Amino acid sequence: MDDEHDEDHGKSSAPETVSFPFDRMTIARFRETFPKARWSDRLKSWTVPGSTARRRIDRWLASEADRKTPFEEVKGRDAFQFEPILSPYLEVHDRGLRVRTPYSRAVVDELRQVPFARWNADDEVWEVPYSSYDELQQRWEAIEDAARWAEPSERRKRAEARRGTEEEAKTKRRTSERRKKRLPVPSDDLPPLGRPIGTFAFGIVIITEITGELVDPKEVAQHYPDTSDERVWAAWRLPTMEELVNTWPARREPSEYEKDRGWWQPTLNELREARRQAKSRERRKGRNQEPVPGVQGRQK
């Protein structure tokens, strides 16, 4: 009953996805818990609507992991003890294994393919039951490589290597253009105001104003190579988490016309990534607004 209530109140939110090994009983339990879930051949996973879908899916995955037979759990523990993954990114937990890495989209994509792996938002760590150890082991090389690539020290090394190069100059020019928060749009096919749209240059944004100022293609050719004389500038801002949650995804990838136009209705994967970024922004903003202990009382 609670799940149905949540889904009804989340009709406008982007659906979440979940995949797990095929088993008739598991699917029956899943359909009973999520009666509005639908299978997507394109995504090769189940989609669950509702603003609380991710939280409910994680609870269900945790309960399903507890259903694994003692034999599967023992088998996974024995496999780990016999051939353990020795890595600073892996730690033993009371209910299984934990994976903690710098953020990497590649790491997330790999872990989402591990049966019953789930994200623990409170501790900011992925949890994997011993029963899924074989699958984790098969994917570990890709996970560890992506985690190393995402380490701050490695990012700094790459930045040092780019210093003084044309690549660094291009990056600075792109950053400067981004700060202007403007987007060239067709004068005869304007994007909607106040609604998240997908773009090549800036990901998902919200158009706040159509300035009407004509775009000079020569001036911005480096940043927008396909811009024509029939484009005008539109001002944009980043969407909030609430706005992203209440955006329904496109049912298909953008068409060639939409790509040439420069804006489209966001896809599920685009929305998922944008929500992750919005959550990080709001978390950082919350930390920055927290009063410093011992200082608040001295403020006048």
Side-chain angles (χ1 to χ4, degrees):
M1 181 65 71
D2 290 340
D3 287 338
E4 291 186 16
H5 178 79
D6 286 341
E7 287 181 355
D8 290 340
H9 279 68
K11 286 181 178 178
S12 61
S13 62
E16 293 287 348
T17 61
V18 59
S19 59
F20 46 84
F22 177 81
D23 174 80
R24 291 183 185 276
M25 295 302 295
T26 304
I27 290 178
R29 290 191 297 271
F30 176 78
R31 295 304 301 271
E32 181 180 358
T33 306
F34 303 99
K36 296 184 180 180
R38 296 292 181 268
W39 174 257
S40 170
D41 285 327
R42 180 174 64 85
L43 299 174
K44 303 300 180 186
S45 62
W46 292 90
T47 61
V48 180
S51 59
T52 62
R54 186 73 262 160
R55 186 165 66 248
R56 292 183 291 117
I57 287 172
D58 287 342
R59 286 203 306 264
W60 182 82
L61 287 173
S63 67
E64 284 298 310
D66 290 340
R67 283 181 175 270
K68 305 299 284 185
T69 66
F71 171 75
E72 291 173 307
E73 188 75 10
V74 171
K75 180 182 176 183
R77 286 179 182 270
D78 288 345
F80 176 73
Q81 292 177 357
F82 179 74
E83 190 178 356
I85 295 174
L86 302 178
S87 172
Y89 303 118
L90 187 75
E91 59 191 60
V92 177
H93 183 52
D94 55 356
R95 295 185 58 184
L97 302 168
R98 281 185 162 188
V99 180
R100 194 189 306 273
T101 73
Y103 175 76
S104 165
R105 183 74 254 174
V107 169
V108 172
D109 290 342
E110 289 292 335
L111 283 168
R112 284 203 179 278
Q113 302 304 312
V114 176
F116 303 113
R118 70 185 190 93
W119 173 249
N120 181 331
D122 293 334
D123 295 334
E124 296 188 339
V125 66
W126 282 88
E127 295 182 349
V128 181
Y130 279 113
S131 56
S132 299
Y133 181 66
D134 284 345
E135 185 69 25
L136 178 66
Q137 192 176 40
Q138 292 175 27
R139 297 181 178 277
W140 189 255
E141 183 176 357
I143 291 172
E144 192 166 48
D145 287 347
R148 287 172 178 160
W149 178 262
E151 285 286 358
S153 59
E154 292 300 314
R155 293 179 184 272
R156 286 193 294 271
K157 287 180 183 178
R158 294 195 293 274
E160 287 290 335
R162 291 194 301 268
R163 184 164 296 177
T165 65
E166 177 59 23
E167 182 183 358
E168 182 188 42
K170 287 182 179 179
T171 299
K172 289 182 178 179
R173 290 193 290 268
R174 283 197 301 270
T175 301
S176 176
E177 176 62 26
R178 183 180 178 87
R179 285 175 180 155
K180 296 177 182 178
K181 294 191 174 180
R182 61 182 187 175
L183 181 75
V185 296
S187 58
D188 59 350
D189 197 352
L190 300 174
L193 298 179
R195 198 174 78 195
I197 61 170
T199 70
F200 281 122
F202 307 113
I204 296 181
V205 300
I206 287 181
I207 301 300
T208 59
E209 178 188 9
I210 305 296
T211 68
E213 178 187 357
L214 292 176
V215 176
D216 183 349
K218 296 179 181 178
E219 179 186 346
V220 297
Q222 177 183 345
H223 306 294
Y224 315 103
D226 298 325
T227 301
S228 68
D229 293 322
E230 301 176 354
R231 304 254 170 167
V232 295
W233 286 115
W236 61 267
R237 66 171 174 81
L238 292 173
T240 65
M241 172 63 85
E242 182 178 2
E243 289 169 327
L244 291 167
V245 165
N246 288 296
T247 299
W248 193 257
R251 295 188 176 184
R252 53 170 177 75
E253 295 295 318
S255 65
E256 288 302 317
Y257 170 76
E258 290 171 321
K259 291 178 181 178
D260 292 340
R261 181 178 64 182
W263 64 269
W264 54 85
Q265 184 180 355
T267 64
L268 177 61
N269 287 336
E270 289 174 321
L271 283 168
R272 186 178 292 125
E273 175 62 16
R275 290 202 302 267
R276 183 197 66 78
Q277 294 176 358
K279 185 182 294 184
S280 296
R281 287 196 301 271
E282 293 180 4
R283 188 183 298 120
R284 289 196 300 270
K285 183 178 179 181
R287 284 200 297 262
N288 292 336
Q289 291 177 346
E290 289 178 359
V292 177
V295 174
Q296 187 176 25
R298 296 197 297 271
Q299 293 178 342
K300 302 295 184 182

